[in-house]
């Protein structure tokens, strides 16, 4: 995978960054969204594919992106398809900070040190090139305004933006209600993005423990016990615990 193109996790994070304050909108759900965005990016790269509500590795060769390759290797080690909700709901130590640090190295954001309550050190990240964020936003705006089916990357980004609650950040107030509704509707244009977005919302709603079943599958279930849920997938520990504690990121 060439690094000339921004990945969906990077674009989702740039959408969430407030250009004025340097804080991130919806920080808790954003962490889930970044894990889901990695799955979409790996699917677009042909490394994984949906298998019902599960994710299967179909080509384990590296993409060239260290963060994505770490996720791909963890998926490969599972040996069997993993439920999307279990993967997304797993711990993601330092994932957001990893992407913020990457964007800083690429010159797309710069770190601003500060303090919380005059004591705790914090770091905010502000965009250095707002044209990039405007271009990403313009793609969503165009899909919402024109109703023309967007390309798969934009459709997946829209699905994830809706799933993590960025609609009210991007299109606030009563005047943004119709745009938020159309953003939600874009979820249908990309199957993988839709699967992942629904998984993100399921994790937030606390229903990750219950696998989705079709009506036919439910009808076939006999007196035997239901199939045990898969063990939750481990997260992508992209940096050490000591590294992540060195600097707090203000939300």
């Amino acid at each position: 995978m060439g690094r000339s193109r921004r990945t969906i996790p990077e674009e989702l994070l740039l959408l969430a960054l407030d250009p004025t304050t340097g804080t991130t909108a919806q920080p808790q759900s954003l962490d889930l969204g970044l894990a889901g965005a990695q799955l979409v990016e790996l699917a677009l790269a042909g490394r994984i594919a949906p298998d019902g509500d599960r994710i299967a590795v179909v080509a384990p060769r590296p993409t060239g992106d260290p963060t994505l390759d770490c996720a791909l290797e963890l998926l490969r080690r599972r040996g069997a398809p993993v439920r999307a909700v279990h993967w997304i709901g797993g711990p993601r130590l330092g994932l957001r900070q990893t992407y913020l640090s990457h964007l800083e190295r690429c010159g797309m954001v710069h770190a601003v040190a500060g303090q919380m309550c005059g004591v705790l050190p914090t770091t905010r990240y502000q965009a250095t090139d707002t044209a990039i964020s405007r271009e990403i936003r313009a793609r969503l705006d165009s899909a919402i305004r024109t109703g023309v089916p967007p390309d798969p990357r934009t459709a997946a980004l829209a699905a994830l933006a809706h799933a993590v609650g960025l609609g009210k950040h991007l299109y606030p107030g009563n005047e943004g209600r119709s745009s938020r509704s159309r953003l939600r509707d874009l979820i249908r244009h990309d199957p993988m993005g839709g699967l992942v977005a629904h998984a993100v919302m399921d994790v937030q709603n606390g229903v990750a423990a219950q696998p989705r079943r079709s009506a036919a599958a439910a009808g076939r279930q006999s007196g035997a016990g239901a199939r045990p849920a898969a063990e939750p997938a481990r997260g992508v520990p992209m940096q050490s615990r000591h590294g992540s504690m060195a600097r707090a990121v203000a939300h």
Side-chain angles (χ1 to χ4, degrees):
M1 175 186 300
R3 294 300 296 130
S4 60
R5 181 170 60 186
R6 294 182 301 271
T7 64
I8 294 176
E10 293 163 7
E11 292 197 329
L12 183 66
L13 185 50
L14 286 170
L15 275 179
L17 276 178
D18 188 299
T20 303
T21 66
T23 58
T24 53
Q26 305 297 109
Q28 285 74 37
S29 56
L30 179 62
D31 290 342
L32 301 176
L34 290 173
Q38 287 187 312
L39 294 180
V40 176
E41 192 66 51
L42 286 170
L44 289 172
R47 302 313 196 264
I48 64 175
D51 181 5
D53 66 347
R54 296 173 183 263
I55 304 298
V57 176
V58 295
R61 66 184 184 279
T63 66
D65 181 308
T67 310
L68 293 175
D69 288 341
C70 183
L72 179 62
E73 175 61 14
L74 289 175
L75 284 166
R76 186 195 65 79
R77 289 178 186 174
R78 293 301 300 272
V82 179
R83 286 189 64 214
V85 288
H86 282 163
W87 177 260
I88 291 169
R92 304 288 158 185
L93 179 63
L95 186 58
R96 184 170 14 129
Q97 181 60 49
T98 294
Y99 276 109
L100 284 168
S101 297
H102 170 73
L103 292 176
E104 183 181 16
R105 288 193 300 271
C106 293
M108 285 187 269
V109 302
H110 70 277
V112 180
Q115 287 186 330
M116 181 184 297
C117 301
V119 178
L120 298 175
T122 63
T123 305
R124 299 171 185 261
Y125 292 84
Q126 295 191 279
T128 56
D129 187 353
T130 56
I132 295 175
S133 297
R134 288 198 301 269
E135 182 272 327
I136 299 169
R137 172 69 179 271
R139 283 164 38 212
L140 292 185
D141 290 346
S142 177
I144 287 172
R145 183 179 63 255
T146 65
V148 175
D151 64 273
R153 300 184 69 83
T154 301
L157 181 62
L160 287 162
H162 166 70
V164 303
L166 288 184
K168 59 187 177 184
H169 168 70
L170 299 171
Y171 307 104
N174 287 334
E175 64 276 13
R177 183 178 301 173
S178 61
S179 293
R180 292 195 299 271
S181 178
R182 288 192 288 272
L183 180 70
R184 179 196 62 215
D185 292 343
L186 291 175
I187 202 171
R188 70 183 187 274
H189 289 295
D190 180 65
M192 186 65 179
L195 168 65
V196 169
H198 282 297
V200 169
M201 291 185 284
D202 281 351
V203 172
Q204 293 181 83
N205 292 330
V207 298
Q210 299 299 323
R212 293 187 177 189
R213 295 178 298 157
S214 66
R220 288 195 300 269
Q221 184 175 346
S222 62
R227 177 181 177 182
E231 177 187 356
R234 294 296 299 171
V236 186
M238 301 313 304
Q239 64 185 80
S240 69
R241 187 178 300 273
H242 294 297
S244 64
M245 292 295 291
R247 297 191 301 177
V249 180
H251 296 159

